[in-house]
Amino acid sequence: MSQNFSYNGFTYTYHLSTSDLVNTPSWNPLKDEPPVSLRKALEVAAVNLNRFVKDADGWDVGHIDLKQMDTEKWIYEIAFECMYKECIRKTGSNFTILVKMDGSVVEPEITPYRQPDK
């Protein structure tokens, strides 16, 4: 899986393969609750949002996805959205954090934003 988004003059790219999840707990949603609860995943994501976004107090959770990456290997994709006009205008309004089932995050590759070629 590879995904990217732009925020505040930078492009954040997540590269995630099944080998990155080998040491994380397996989970079968038909049999048990996830190894990391939704509440814990949100706490981890909020702490990490503060690493990348200045004044993250105006940000709310926009959506949460559970994604199966391999047999019984899952991640939370937690997207935050800024609801204030000021941050939307200045820096952008979305930021995504990926949380693994061991409670760690996937570190994004950060590069300067480059306008797409036309």
Side-chain angles (χ1 to χ4, degrees):
M1 170 187 142
S2 190
Q3 74 179 51
N4 64 50
F5 62 94
S6 296
Y7 172 76
N8 198 24
F10 293 94
T11 298
Y12 294 79
T13 304
Y14 289 111
H15 300 285
L16 187 64
S17 70
T18 55
S19 65
D20 296 319
L21 301 174
V22 167
N23 294 321
T24 63
S26 295
W27 175 50
N28 182 331
L30 296 174
K31 295 181 180 179
D32 205 357
E33 294 297 317
V36 172
S37 69
L38 176 57
R39 178 179 231 80
K40 180 63 178 172
L42 286 169
E43 290 172 6
V44 169
V47 165
N48 280 275
L49 180 67
N50 283 302
R51 293 176 43 211
F52 302 107
V53 173
K54 291 181 185 176
D55 194 21
D57 292 337
W59 292 66
D60 289 319
V61 175
H63 73 267
I64 303 164
D65 289 330
L66 265 170
K67 294 192 173 200
Q68 187 171 16
M69 303 302 296
D70 197 7
T71 305
E72 296 190 356
K73 297 294 183 177
W74 293 76
I75 61 165
Y76 288 99
E77 180 182 285
I78 301 172
F80 292 92
E81 295 180 0
C82 175
M83 302 299 177
Y84 296 110
K85 289 180 185 177
E86 184 176 302
C87 62
I88 293 170
R89 187 178 67 249
K90 288 183 180 177
T91 60
S93 61
N94 298 301
F95 202 99
T96 301
I97 304 286
L98 303 180
V99 180
K100 301 181 210 176
M101 286 296 167
D102 64 0
S104 65
V105 296
V106 178
E107 290 295 330
E109 175 187 333
I110 305 169
T111 56
Y113 177 74
R114 186 173 155 249
Q115 287 282 3
D117 295 331
K118 291 185 179 185

